[in-house]
Amino acid sequence: TAGSNGLAVSGAVASLNQRNEPWLILGDTNQNNTRQENFKAKFAYDFSPTLRAGYIVGIWQNNDDRASNSYLQDATGNPVYSGNININGRQYSLSPTDFNISRASLVHIIHGASIKTNTRGNFDWEIAASLYEYHKDLSRQALLAIPAANNGGIGRITDQKGTGWNALALKGVWRSNENADSTGGTHLLDFGLQRDSFKLRTRVSNTSDWLNGAAESRFSEFRGDASLTSAYAQDTWRFADAWRVTLGGRLEQWRASNGAISNASSTVNLDSRREFAFSPKAAIAFQASRDWVVKASLGRAVRFPTVSELYQGSISATSIVNNDPNLRAEKSWTSELSAERDLGNGSLRSTLFFEDTRDALFSQTNTSVTPNITNIQNVDHVRTQGLELAFQQNDVTSDVLMRGLEIISSLTFAHSRTVQNDKFQASVGKWQPRVPQWRANVLMTYRVSEKLSTTFGVRYSGRQYGSLDNSDPNGATYFGFSKFLVADIRVRYKFDKQLSGSIGVDNLNNEKYWAFHPYTQRTVLAEAKFDF
């Protein structure tokens, strides 16, 4: 609002947002002071030369203080964090939580167990199970403005204890007679059963002391369960000396249940859902000559909505505000055709790829309803096609290019567009978010001697967008996604059998590039390593 009302302040930085619209940067938030402790223990027991059992446990603890810093100052130089302010003749209003401070305390625990055979014979099997649990996951947020919030006061506590997932997999592999002739062929059959279960538990409570107080009245809550049970089988059959075919399929049952979203006074219970999907795959490889192999493949993939995409939202009275519990599964058909030449000490490969996706899951604004709703939604149709070239020289004794030189490189062109999107017509014909048209990588390692080696890498990504309608052309700002060309270098020296050291520079050219936040600029790393 134009005028002279409000406290006159200085320090605001004028800039442009990702849409090239003018905005003011008033400070920075989420300055994290983090302390993490990690513990891992791994055990294995061999019942016999062919039967092994294993167990692993991991504990991750994180304590995090998140501060904010205002660039705004009054006439006497004191920082300003809230209230009505005036910047260059315009009045703005800062809420107490615009410059937010919070604390988090987390303890997550993971267990993994397996038992498997390794007979190298006709049949092997494996049973694997894992459990990940949010043993403790508390986040405390102040609702008062700084500096009063530094001493406590009202706030909110977010508790995610009970969230987690577990998985159980039964796997088998059967091999036919490896000495079978080209007429009978050889088979490699992979098959198995798997079940994955997920739980979402989040409760946000009010508290009179955000620093140390207990959770009091409910502010909001969301919860839900999902599971995926599947059976798969795949047969790789070498039916002739030069031919190999792979056929497989995966049958899945997905369930979502116990979904509920609450505000302070109301709860909306959501209906359970159950769906089935079948994903076939097929691939064929032909050894055209000693040096050339041609491969073609086709497969279907189904990605069901996650518990957070379905149930993490809010309600107003008894109406759902910003999530869709009826999201459909994302379904894709992907195909590839590649030709690869064996260079003796390396390889050269070219691959044509094509992907056709229906009901893709994206965060977007539904402009077909009033008022507009922004949340995770199904995008009707997205299509991607492109070409990748890859070259690798992997034998340090080779002289294809230079003796002692290793190279891994690729160049990818992708044409990825939204074909249909009834809820957001402005996105039709636009680039798929985070998929640049061109991408390239080169990593070269030159072994000067047995002790000294040098590595040089270059990474390039072309222009990309973060929004479906490509309305964010300014990548060099917060929330933006920019193109980049970055070089890294490293030198390693092995002093003796046990002691080695290295020094390197990441982002040697000090490129300033962004992916929602700024990436790290030129960074020097040094390392010393001693092996007992």
Side-chain angles (χ1 to χ4, degrees), residues 3-63:
S4 59
N5 293 331
L7 176 66
V9 296
S10 60
V13 180
S15 185
L16 297 175
N17 66 9
Q18 74 274 23
R19 298 175 181 269
N20 274 328
E21 300 165 338
W23 67 354
L24 295 174
I25 299 174
L26 308 183
D28 46 73
T29 60
N30 279 325
Q31 293 189 14
N32 288 7
N33 182 8
T34 299
R35 185 181 72 255
Q36 300 184 16
E37 293 89 24
N38 294 278
F39 169 82
K40 182 174 74 172
K42 188 175 182 180
F43 307 91
Y45 184 78
D46 291 325
F47 293 98
S48 71
T50 61
L51 181 63
R52 163 171 285 203
Y55 171 72
I56 185 171
V57 59
I59 302 174
W60 174 64
Q61 179 170 298
N62 180 29
N63 291 284

